[in-house]
Amino acid sequence: MVIVHSVGELREAIATRKRDGQKTVGFVPTMGFLHEGHIALAENARKQNDLVVMSIFVNPTQFGPGEDFEAYPRDEQRDIQLAREAGVDILFMPTPEEMYPHDGGIRILPGPQAKVLCGASRPTHFDGVLQVILKLFNMVDPDRAYFGLKDAQQLAIIETFVRDFNFRTKIVRVETVRESDGLAKSSRNVNLSPEERKEAPAIRQALSRGAELFQSGQSATDVEQAVANYITEQTSGQIDYVTMLTYPELATDDGKATEMILACAVKFQKTRLIDNILIQKDGKICSE
Ligand code: AMP
């Protein structure tokens, strides 16, 4: 595995390997503090491509004022070792100055998918996500890029971006990897207190119960209320939202949708956790 810090080195490293016959590039963008969720993305990329590129960059433009940019966990040495073990060929670790040397003021404006769920309380978050994804895709030019369903809204918005703007990159969805007690793996889990960590699996339990209630015929509104009640009873966290929408459109169901997302965000003392469950209208829970 080679580690590169500049865009020039990154392009050179990819070009060299392509000249050597490694034709297809799989790309795994991350913010680091790697865990098994990230590793699952890398393993999928490893299976489907000649070359695997991973980026580790805590992107300042997707954090709003007062959010946890400074407190976001970082551990470069551990990340390097885990990326190597996961079969990454090129690890790109740029500084903010390398990623953003200029600012001509041009911004990308996501559509209605970015107004709901996390977008309601983080109004500029997905602008920053699309900005960094566009830049990274231009740098790596991947055949395939791997994203986790843990961040289902981000994934839906990126799929729309890629479709509407004719990127050649195929977006590959990867299932959420969980702890044995059901908590979705997240770099932010280390910022939970020991008590909060014990309570946090209730988020996943609440979503599973919600999915069952929906399958048994309850309305989206009733399901949202039941999930919110369960989380409030079982945790000390504050609910940011519990919302059920169509997936991947992230719209209110007009009766025609085939797949729904039940998603929530819960604020704890030092961190905010998100999770979701995808439910097919024919009754199956198709992804968790
Ligand atoms: P992050 O480093 O949190 O920005 O995440 C980088 C990528 O890893 C995104 O595509 C996430 O959706 C994905 N990811 C994060 N956590 C998980 C998880 N528990 N299971 C699967 N993918 C994940």
Side-chain angles (χ1 to χ4, degrees):
M1 183 177 83
V2 296
I3 301 165
V4 292
H5 298 281
S6 74
V7 180
E9 288 172 315
L10 171 68
R11 289 207 165 112
E12 187 51 42
I14 294 170
T16 305
R17 281 163 183 74
K18 283 197 164 176
R19 274 197 298 274
D20 292 347
Q22 295 183 285
K23 297 286 180 232
T24 55
V25 178
F27 179 44
V28 181
T30 82
M31 299 208 298
F33 210 70
L34 300 180
H35 52 67
E36 282 150 55
H38 301 113
I39 302 306
L41 305 190
E43 284 172 354
N44 276 274
R46 184 69 282 161
K47 282 189 203 128
Q48 297 173 348
N49 304 276
D50 299 328
L51 190 62
V52 177
V53 179
M54 177 184 276
S55 61
I56 293 184
F57 179 60
V58 185
N59 174 37
T61 72
Q62 68 191 67
F63 288 80
E67 291 183 355
D68 60 348
F69 176 68
E70 270 85 28
Y72 198 85
R74 294 160 169 88
D75 189 341
E76 279 195 8
Q77 289 316 310
R78 187 171 155 272
D79 282 351
I80 288 169
Q81 196 182 327
L82 289 172
R84 188 177 282 126
E85 286 167 14
V88 170
D89 297 303
I90 300 172
L91 183 61
F92 179 45
M93 303 176 89
T95 59
E97 294 72 31
E98 179 66 16
M99 284 298 284
Y100 297 108
H102 316 288
D103 183 5
I106 298 173
R107 296 289 178 272
I108 304 149
L109 220 57
Q113 285 168 305
K115 299 265 186 282
V116 293
L117 306 178
C118 289
S121 60
R122 305 184 75 191
T124 58
H125 171 64
F126 292 107
D127 306 18
V129 169
L130 292 188
Q131 180 183 33
V132 79
I133 288 298
L134 177 58
K135 287 172 70 80
L136 289 167
F137 279 18
N138 279 333
M139 293 167 191
V140 176
D141 188 24
D143 293 273
R144 300 182 189 85
Y146 295 79
F147 292 89
L149 276 162
K150 154 80 170 33
D151 301 282
Q153 182 175 20
Q154 167 176 280
L155 178 48
I157 293 169
I158 290 170
E159 283 177 349
T160 303
F161 188 40
V162 162
R163 180 199 67 192
D164 289 3
F165 288 82
N166 304 87
F167 286 80
R168 74 175 194 91
T169 303
K170 179 179 164 19
I171 303 300
V172 183
R173 297 179 178 186
V174 179
E175 298 280 304
T176 302
V177 178
R178 297 180 179 279
E179 303 287 354
S180 54
D181 60 12
L183 177 64
K185 295 215 180 226
S186 165
S187 307
R188 290 187 163 100
N189 290 349
V190 292
N191 287 337
L192 294 169
S193 72
E195 293 75 35
E196 290 172 339
R197 175 62 189 82
K198 279 191 208 126
E199 300 164 2
I203 296 172
R204 154 84 179 145
Q205 290 156 16
L207 292 172
S208 297
R209 283 163 163 246
E212 280 166 24
L213 293 175
F214 187 69
Q215 285 159 350
S216 72
Q218 291 210 17
S219 71
T221 316
D222 288 348
V223 168
E224 289 166 358
Q225 193 57 56
V227 171
N229 290 346
Y230 188 88
I231 294 171
T232 307
E233 283 159 17
Q234 302 288 325
T235 79
S236 56
Q238 269 202 328
I239 291 174
D240 180 352
Y241 64 81
V242 176
T243 308
M244 198 164 189
L245 295 170
T246 64
Y247 195 82
E249 302 80 10
L250 306 181
T252 309
D253 186 18
D254 60 1
K256 292 190 198 128
T258 56
E259 197 169 3
M260 305 286 292
I261 184 167
L262 174 59
C264 68
V266 183
K267 276 188 196 162
F268 290 91
Q269 288 292 318
K270 286 207 192 121
T271 200
R272 177 178 170 281
L273 301 186
I274 58 170
D275 202 352
N276 68 81
I277 191 162
L278 293 184
I279 311 160
Q280 281 191 349
K281 279 288 237 11
D282 64 12
K284 267 194 295 196
I285 297 173
C286 68
S287 170
E288 325 189 355

